[in-house]
Structures are given as structure tokens and as C-alpha cells.
Amino acid sequence: MTKSRLDAAAAISITDLFTIGIGPSSSHTVGPMRAARIFMESLPAQPIRVQCDLYGSLALTGHGHATDSAILLGLSGYRPEGVDPDGIPAILAAIRADHRIGWASGKDAWVVFDEATDLLFHKGEFLEAHSNGMRFSAWFEGQDDPQVQDYYSIGGGAVLPGSIASDLPVGHNIVQSYPFSSGVEMLEQGEASGLSIATLVLRNEGAWRTQAETEAFLDSVIDAMSASIDRGLLQEGLLPGGLKVRRRARAIHQRLRLQQDALGPAQIFEWVSLFALAVNEENAAGGRVVTAPTNGAAGVIPAVLHYYRRFVPGADRDGEHRLLLTAAAIGFLYKKRASISAAEMGCQGEVGVACSMAAAGLAAVLGGTNGQIENAAEIGMEHNLGLTCDPIGGLVQIPCIERNTMGAVKAINAAYLALQGDGRHIVSLDAVIETMRQTGEDMASRYKETSLGGLAVNVVEC
């Protein structure tokens, strides 16, 4: 199967890496919603019927990942960053009751859509270019043959149409001030210019927008991350999906607040775990989170960001910007040189990448050199190599929620370990990224977001 590895020369923006959307999955919820909306917007006229066929991992775990709901929302014109999570149940209920979706031309224009016959899950079948494949078809009045278009959800909510191998990569015509496609090039650019990794990224973002606009975007991401933690700390009850997983963040938060006067190292890590837990419980419930770089790993970077904000003296908004910009630099490398899709890499491509990104970001705001930052990123991934993606019931709950707490704690440990050295180390970031890629290629498909192996088959669903 052809992989979705991006052209190394393609420019990636922080707006591609950090996106605000809804849970539970960037590849199975956000990506399909975007693909469905793009398909409807591409049609030359109002169709009389539309159909969506899902393949590969989308078919195998789509129900647990709310892919069915995402397709209905996308076909109806909703965006993941704009739809109100609280309003989704009513929208879906109306579509399913009326067997139709709204057409963009007006509130009285409708397209026939019967979910039982027009949203098909082809379990065990794969499209050629990627394991997260979708095929949309639209029929028009007076025409026998439908208009057909394939899309692939390649991780982090990103969508590519048609044959990935033949499409020009995103950002192919963007000229950046300090381009880099490897860890070595990143360090060379920093040494030659005298700039930090965060500043390299900030200057490169100037190819798309002004610095003020980039900083405003970072503020929106930080605020959304904070909001997902805050909401997660307030909610209680069972998560949807049938596993009867109970939210824990609210109760843990109430307990930790009573222990603030006796704050020690153990309590600090409990707070970090709580931040990640709150975000990923929100994600599992379909709430609004930041894809960072995926929804399944959405709690790692916010938890480390809040560790910096709460427990590092002198923390400020500028430091939060630097943390995210540095983390983004590392995320770019994984997207260019491997993949952040669990359907390709297993969870090492999600929580592992988020851990690597967060470790680099924290090392940066703790005063690390570029070499120490690169080392922190390498440590963050080295100890996540081989991490499988085997969600029980196809739901982004077990082991996904707790796995984010582990990723956040590992990231903090990796940052402090790197700061104990001078940046020189035996295993380079490029080597560990290539190892992750090779490991993902070798990993059996049953361990890559199919729920056909691991915990998914060895734990009895309740």
C-alpha cells in the first residue's frame, strides 16, 4: 500500500499542525467531516442523491470513532472548527429521521440520504493510497453515472484527494526564509542564522501571514487548549460508546485542590496527568479540542503547556508561544519524514509524536539550546517506539485517555534529561524518526487502529 509520506520540500504551516475541531479522532472524525464538505462544495449542481463508502481503518473502527456522524455533518456543510458540539445530536437526529441532508443553496433544498444504504462500511477492504480511504458518489438528474471522488484522511485532520502519489504536496509553491526538512537541517539553519528553533518557525510562517497574525493564531490555540482542560474538569458521568468508562477528571481535580498546600513532585505529576486526562475525556465525548498533532494525542501538549504555565517560574504568554512554535518544528519533521497517522504508524505516530513535540517545546522554554531541544525530541520518541494503536471497541477511550497522561509525563522527563547534557548524543532525531517509520511499516495492521489485535481483542467489552 502506498504511504502518504509528504514531499520533503513541501512547506507545512503551524495552522496545518494545530487545528481546533471536535473529538474523538482527527483522522476518523475531523478528516472525514472535512472530506465530505469538500466533496459537496466541489459538485457543479445539486445532486439527487449522494453516497459515501468507507474503507480500511475508517471502516473497521469508524463507528467507535464517530466517522458516521462526521460524514453526515460534513455532507450537511458543517466544519469541525465551527460546529457546536452540544448541537450535534439534534442535527444527526434530524438527518436520520428525514433521510435527507441540506444542500448549500438554501434551507429548502434537500438531497436524499439514507444512512443504511448511502453510508457503507467496507470492512477488510482498502483503497490503494492509504488505509483511511473514502469514496464519495453523487447522482444528478438525467445522468446515469455518478460523479465519484476518493479522499484520504492522512492524519491530524489533513485530507488529500485522489491518488496521493500523483497530487502536488501541500505547500509546494511556498518559499520560506529558513526551510528545513530534517533535524540536521534544522540545527544547521539555527547555527548559521543564530536563531532559536522557535524563531526559525516564526520567520517561516511569514510566508503565509504577518507575525501579528501568527501570534494571534497561537493565542487562539492556547485559549482552546485551556478551554478543553477547563471544561474537562467540570464534566462527570459516563463517556458515550457503551464501554461505560466514567469520567475521572472532576473528582481528581477536587481532591488535588485540597492538597495544594502540600505540593511536592508527586502532586505536580498528578496535576500534569489530570490536565491530559481532562482534555482526552473531552475528546472522547466529542467535545472541542485542539488537534496537536492528532485528536487521539490531544492532551499531551496542553498538559505540558499547563505544567509550564503553573509550575515554571517566570512563565508568560511569550514562552507559551515559543513552546508551541518549537513543538511545531518537531511535528513538521514527523509529517515530512514519516507520518502522524495511527493507521500507518500505530500510536507511536500519535502519542509518541506528541510526546516528542512537547518535550522539545518544554526544553526550549526552560532555556535549552537548539541541540538540547533536538535531544529532548529524540528522547521523547525513543521511548515510545513500537507503541501500538489497539482501542477497545474502536473507541478513543481505552487505552487512549490514560496514554496521554503517560505521554505528558514522559515529555517532561525527556526535557529535563536533555537539559542535563550539552546537546550531543548518540541517537539523532532523524534516526529515531526513521526508526519510527520503519517500525510502523513493519507493524502488523491489526495493531494500527483496526481494533483487530492487542487490548481490543484481549479485553472483554462490558
Side-chain angles (χ1 to χ4, degrees):
M1 186 178 299
T2 304
K3 295 300 178 183
S4 63
R5 186 174 176 180
L6 297 177
D7 188 313
I12 309 173
S13 170
I14 56 171
T15 59
D16 300 316
L17 201 64
F18 299 124
T19 59
I20 302 170
I22 60 170
S25 171
S26 50
S27 60
H28 286 55
T29 312
V30 176
M33 190 187 304
R34 287 177 174 156
R37 189 177 191 277
I38 292 169
F39 175 71
M40 294 299 282
E41 291 180 338
S42 73
L43 300 179
Q46 179 177 341
I48 58 175
R49 177 191 165 207
V50 294
Q51 178 177 304
C52 176
D53 296 83
L54 300 173
Y55 298 88
S57 178
L58 294 180
L60 290 165
T61 63
H63 286 110
H65 286 60
T67 306
D68 47 351
S69 300
I71 294 295
L72 299 186
L73 292 169
L75 291 175
S76 302
Y78 291 96
R79 301 175 185 269
E81 62 271 24
V83 65
D84 178 8
D86 293 330
I88 288 176
I91 297 170
L92 297 177
I95 294 172
R96 286 162 172 160
D98 299 335
H99 302 294
R100 64 183 187 177
I101 57 174
W103 175 247
S105 60
K107 64 179 181 179
D108 296 324
W110 302 95
V111 179
V112 172
F113 189 86
D114 186 341
E115 188 173 1
T117 57
D118 294 330
L119 181 54
L120 305 177
F121 290 72
H122 300 275
K123 296 183 178 181
E125 297 182 38
F126 292 80
L127 296 183
E128 176 62 25
H130 193 280
S131 55
N132 288 336
M134 296 161 275
R135 177 165 291 157
F136 293 92
S137 304
W139 287 262
F140 300 92
E141 192 73 46
Q143 297 181 9
D144 294 330
D145 297 326
Q147 178 174 324
V148 179
Q149 178 63 58
D150 293 347
Y151 293 91
Y152 301 95
S153 182
I154 63 171
V159 174
L160 291 180
S163 172
I164 291 176
S166 64
D167 288 328
L168 285 173
V170 175
H172 69 282
N173 59 347
I174 297 294
V175 179
Q176 296 178 312
S177 301
Y178 301 97
F180 56 87
S181 297
S182 68
V184 168
E185 291 178 1
M186 178 181 72
L187 293 177
E188 289 175 346
Q189 288 281 23
E191 184 175 359
S193 63
L195 301 176
S196 68
I197 292 172
T199 304
L200 292 176
V201 175
L202 185 61
R203 299 282 177 86
N204 285 342
E205 291 297 310
W208 287 280
R209 69 195 78 81
T210 67
Q211 180 172 327
E213 290 171 330
T214 294
E215 291 173 343
F217 171 77
L218 291 171
D219 285 335
S220 70
V221 168
I222 293 167
D223 291 344
M225 287 180 171
S226 298
S228 66
I229 291 176
D230 292 342
R231 180 172 170 79
L233 295 178
L234 294 175
Q235 306 305 309
E236 55 187 352
L238 298 180
L239 293 171
L243 286 182
K244 299 181 181 179
V245 174
R246 185 169 298 278
R247 285 181 181 251
R248 291 175 285 172
R250 180 184 172 115
I252 294 173
H253 184 221
Q254 291 174 340
R255 178 178 62 80
L256 288 179
R257 289 176 64 186
L258 298 176
Q259 301 175 351
Q260 289 188 99
D261 291 339
L263 192 64
Q267 286 72 36
I268 290 175
F269 279 120
E270 283 192 271
W271 277 102
V272 172
S273 294
L274 172 64
F275 298 146
L277 197 75
V279 174
N280 283 86
E281 287 181 349
E282 269 300 286
N283 180 63
R288 191 168 307 288
V289 298
V290 177
T291 301
T294 67
N295 280 29
V300 176
I301 293 176
V304 174
L305 182 73
H306 274 63
Y307 166 81
Y308 164 71
R309 175 186 294 177
R310 184 161 183 158
F311 298 112
V312 175
D316 56 17
R317 183 51 66 102
D318 177 65
E320 293 175 349
H321 286 178
R322 286 187 286 118
L323 191 155
L324 289 183
L325 288 166
T326 305
I330 306 305
F332 296 158
L333 299 181
Y334 283 99
K335 289 198 72 170
K336 289 185 177 187
R337 305 184 71 82
S339 171
I340 60 170
S341 169
E344 290 186 291
M345 296 288 114
C347 199
Q348 60 174 357
E350 293 205 28
V351 168
V353 171
C355 177
S356 183
M357 293 169 62
L362 181 60
V365 295
L366 292 176
T369 64
N370 287 353
Q372 291 171 320
I373 291 167
E374 185 261 359
N375 189 12
E378 181 276 322
I379 295 171
M381 173 53 73
E382 185 176 343
H383 304 289
N384 279 293
L385 289 173
L387 194 59
T388 60
C389 180
D390 48 356
I392 297 175
L395 297 166
V396 192
Q397 296 179 15
I398 304 173
C400 319
I401 296 172
E402 289 182 356
R403 188 164 284 174
N404 275 257
T405 71
M406 299 297 106
V409 171
K410 279 186 179 181
I412 295 171
N413 194 26
Y416 282 104
L417 276 175
L419 292 176
Q420 295 302 314
D422 60 5
R424 291 177 293 181
H425 52 108
I426 294 174
V427 180
S428 69
L429 177 58
D430 290 336
V432 85
I433 293 175
E434 176 59 16
T435 302
M436 186 201 81
R437 186 194 67 79
Q438 293 174 2
T439 303
E441 293 275 359
D442 293 340
M443 189 182 293
S445 63
R446 63 181 178 274
Y447 299 119
K448 295 191 286 189
E449 209 169 6
T450 61
S451 286
L452 297 176
L455 289 176
V457 299
N458 287 307
V459 177
V460 178
E461 298 177 33
C462 300

